[in-house]
Amino acid sequence: MDFGRVSTAMVTPFGQDGTIDFERTAALINYLIENGSDSLVVGGTTGESPTLSNDEKISLFEYTVAIADGRVPVIAGTGSNNTQGTIDLSIKAVQAGVDALMLVAPYYSKPSQEGLYQHFAAVADAVDVPIMIYNIPGRSAVNILPETIIKLSLIDNITAVKEASGNLDQMTDILSNTSNEFLVYSGDDGLTLPLLAIGGHGVVSVASHIAGNEMQAMIKAFTEGRSQEAATIHQQLLPLIRALFAQPNPAPVKVALDDKGIACGGLRLPLIPLSLDEKEMVRAAVETFNHQVKLLK
């Protein structure tokens, strides 16, 4: 399955009482689909997955599938460091109607490469939907090496990897040794264009909450051979991306969404709201970006 060029790792909107606000979630889903998102990742780190119960995740999966209504693929974040727990949640996510799964590398446990392979292979064997592997050593404390990704790509329903190692050499090794049908996505917004240049397919993005159309424009410019235009958009996006990750994700992007009229509520501990100074930094970056976009039009 092709998840498109820009897959948004969706925030989870909360109400004043801290529970999931499904009315806000519907508004967010419609906004994202209308503004550059080719697919939606639900229940990932940006969605504050560590603070969501499995029951909440399943409700969120079901609701997102219903609101998306086939307009874009819905990818459920079901990975954990408990293989059987991952299998159980993955089966329930498939029953909820999601189109695909995203499985993060088992965190904290620090398994061997063979342990990683067996973990992902066991989940893939238990479900019949496409799977995107998520490699993020900075959060999981283990790097899924290229040879492990290459071996996993031979499993029929493991069809993509979200690479957030930040290592373009590693991504090149994966691209060089997997089929053209196996898709490599950037897990870092700022590496979208460099990854495209070495043969990658797209990005699983946080910045697309705010700049989804512009990210699509950058990718389109690159794929159509307008490399200088793509580079210009990349240069404009980068300060915005830095601002959105200057504090723990998704605190900054929730502020930016609120300012756009897409209310997403607060955060669950251990994440905390931004200070006034931190909010102003985000707002200044968004304002500068919006001004540059207007100048281009």
Side-chain angles (χ1 to χ4, degrees), residues 6 18 25 55 61 63 73 89 102 107 123 128 162 166 178 187 195 197 213 215 234 237 252 254 263 265 272-273 292:
V6 177
T25 300
D55 286 345
F61 299 155
Y63 191 77
L89 182 57
M102 187 176 75
Y107 40 83
V123 182
D128 59 359
K162 175 185 175 184
T178 54
L195 178 61
N213 292 325
M215 296 194 78
H234 168 77
L237 279 165
K254 279 196 166 183
I272 60 172
Q292 289 175 328

XYZ file of all heavy atoms in Angstrom, residues 6 18 25 55 61 63 73 89 102 107 123 128 162 166 178 187 195 197 213 215 234 237 252 254 263 265 272-273 292:
219
model
N 2.835 12.476 1.954
C 2.805 13.146 3.258
C 1.789 12.440 4.154
O 0.584 12.526 3.930
C 2.445 14.636 3.123
C 2.355 15.295 4.512
C 3.467 15.371 2.266
N -9.454 16.430 30.108
C -8.329 15.555 29.788
C -8.690 14.305 29.026
O -7.804 13.524 28.665
N -11.593 16.013 17.389
C -10.877 15.049 16.551
C -11.444 15.039 15.140
O -10.697 15.014 14.159
C -10.946 13.643 17.167
O -10.349 13.667 18.473
C -10.205 12.631 16.310
N -7.993 0.861 25.425
C -9.397 1.134 25.105
C -9.538 2.487 24.406
O -10.311 2.616 23.448
C -10.255 1.109 26.372
C -10.485 -0.299 26.899
O -10.236 -1.272 26.143
O -10.909 -0.441 28.062
N -9.084 4.760 16.982
C -8.952 4.112 15.672
C -10.321 4.015 14.985
O -10.475 4.369 13.814
C -8.360 2.703 15.813
C -6.979 2.638 16.415
C -6.548 1.484 17.062
C -6.112 3.721 16.345
C -5.275 1.409 17.617
C -4.833 3.649 16.908
C -4.424 2.494 17.541
N -13.036 5.708 15.495
C -13.600 7.020 15.172
C -12.904 7.636 13.961
O -13.556 8.195 13.072
C -13.469 7.945 16.386
C -14.253 9.225 16.235
C -15.630 9.246 16.419
C -13.612 10.414 15.906
C -16.357 10.417 16.281
C -14.328 11.597 15.761
C -15.705 11.586 15.952
O -16.419 12.749 15.801
N -5.957 6.672 3.744
C -5.667 5.525 4.616
C -5.454 5.957 6.061
O -4.897 7.026 6.333
C -4.371 4.951 4.030
C -4.307 5.469 2.635
C -4.952 6.823 2.680
N -3.159 -5.722 20.406
C -3.675 -4.406 20.014
C -3.764 -4.300 18.495
O -4.712 -3.703 17.966
C -2.786 -3.299 20.581
C -3.241 -1.863 20.288
C -4.658 -1.606 20.806
C -2.259 -0.851 20.895
N 1.500 0.914 12.138
C 2.868 1.385 12.303
C 3.400 0.814 13.606
O 2.778 0.963 14.663
C 2.945 2.914 12.332
C 4.389 3.420 12.338
S 4.498 5.231 12.247
C 4.018 5.652 13.913
N 11.000 -0.400 22.631
C 11.781 0.550 23.415
C 12.159 -0.049 24.768
O 11.547 -0.993 25.243
C 10.990 1.848 23.599
C 9.526 1.604 23.866
C 9.070 1.312 25.153
C 8.597 1.599 22.824
C 7.731 1.051 25.398
C 7.250 1.327 23.063
C 6.829 1.062 24.348
O 5.508 0.782 24.572
N 4.363 -10.112 14.657
C 3.187 -9.242 14.493
C 2.674 -9.339 13.056
O 1.462 -9.440 12.820
C 3.517 -7.783 14.861
C 2.264 -6.911 14.731
C 4.079 -7.681 16.276
N -3.285 -9.164 8.605
C -3.239 -9.245 7.142
C -3.304 -7.865 6.494
O -3.788 -7.719 5.375
C -4.372 -10.134 6.613
C -5.748 -9.627 7.023
O -5.829 -8.605 7.728
O -6.742 -10.266 6.631
N 9.435 3.878 8.429
C 9.587 5.277 8.821
C 10.946 5.386 9.489
O 11.162 4.866 10.572
C 8.470 5.698 9.782
C 8.620 7.115 10.329
C 7.550 7.420 11.375
C 7.758 8.783 12.001
N 6.774 9.053 13.081
N 17.961 9.571 11.360
C 18.706 10.747 10.929
C 19.926 10.411 10.105
O 20.706 11.302 9.747
N 16.415 -3.051 -1.177
C 15.018 -3.477 -1.092
C 14.358 -3.231 -2.442
O 14.881 -2.487 -3.280
C 14.255 -2.713 0.007
O 14.407 -1.303 -0.201
C 14.757 -3.079 1.390
N 11.266 10.038 9.005
C 10.613 10.304 10.278
C 10.988 11.661 10.829
O 10.562 12.034 11.925
N 15.980 13.034 1.757
C 15.612 11.634 1.544
C 15.039 11.422 0.141
O 15.342 10.424 -0.516
C 14.611 11.174 2.601
C 14.116 9.728 2.451
C 15.265 8.734 2.547
C 13.044 9.400 3.477
N 15.914 12.963 -2.423
C 17.047 13.045 -3.351
C 17.799 11.722 -3.476
O 18.436 11.469 -4.501
C 18.002 14.152 -2.901
N 0.176 21.621 2.881
C 0.127 21.998 1.461
C 1.500 22.396 0.946
O 1.873 22.078 -0.197
C -0.867 23.141 1.258
C -2.303 22.695 1.494
O -2.664 21.560 1.182
N -3.118 23.568 2.057
N 4.401 21.340 2.145
C 5.227 20.140 2.032
C 4.882 19.384 0.753
O 5.768 18.880 0.061
C 5.038 19.250 3.261
C 5.511 19.924 4.530
S 5.674 18.806 5.915
C 7.213 18.014 5.513
N 11.998 24.095 1.065
C 12.683 23.413 2.174
C 13.332 24.427 3.112
O 13.224 24.315 4.348
C 13.742 22.458 1.609
C 14.697 21.928 2.632
N 14.377 20.934 3.523
C 15.986 22.269 2.903
C 15.431 20.684 4.301
N 16.409 21.475 3.944
N 10.709 26.037 5.177
C 10.110 25.122 6.142
C 10.998 24.881 7.360
O 10.491 24.694 8.482
C 9.817 23.771 5.475
C 8.556 23.648 4.640
C 8.612 22.388 3.780
C 7.318 23.617 5.537
N 4.373 22.159 21.008
C 4.392 23.313 20.104
C 3.343 23.249 19.001
O 2.698 24.263 18.689
C 5.819 23.282 19.526
C 6.627 22.533 20.534
C 5.690 21.487 21.045
N 0.478 21.788 18.998
C -0.868 22.029 19.524
C -1.125 23.530 19.690
O -2.239 24.001 19.442
C -1.074 21.278 20.844
C -1.421 19.799 20.656
C -1.983 19.166 21.919
C -2.627 17.809 21.621
N -3.239 17.201 22.812
N -8.804 23.711 17.503
C -8.556 23.497 18.932
C -8.260 22.032 19.211
O -9.013 21.148 18.799
C -9.762 23.951 19.743
N -6.801 21.235 22.508
C -6.722 21.084 23.953
C -5.306 20.983 24.477
O -4.332 21.320 23.792
N 3.969 18.975 29.511
C 3.369 20.162 30.128
C 3.213 21.261 29.088
O 3.902 21.258 28.059
C 4.220 20.673 31.316
C 5.636 21.043 30.862
C 4.256 19.651 32.444
C 6.475 21.731 31.927
N 2.308 22.213 29.334
C 2.103 23.306 28.375
C 3.358 24.166 28.220
O 4.213 24.226 29.116
C 0.962 24.120 28.998
C 0.307 23.196 29.969
C 1.385 22.294 30.466
N 6.421 34.296 4.271
C 7.236 33.844 3.141
C 6.373 33.125 2.100
O 6.572 33.289 0.893
C 8.336 32.916 3.654
C 9.414 33.627 4.452
C 10.405 32.648 5.044
O 10.061 31.522 5.388
N 11.645 33.086 5.192
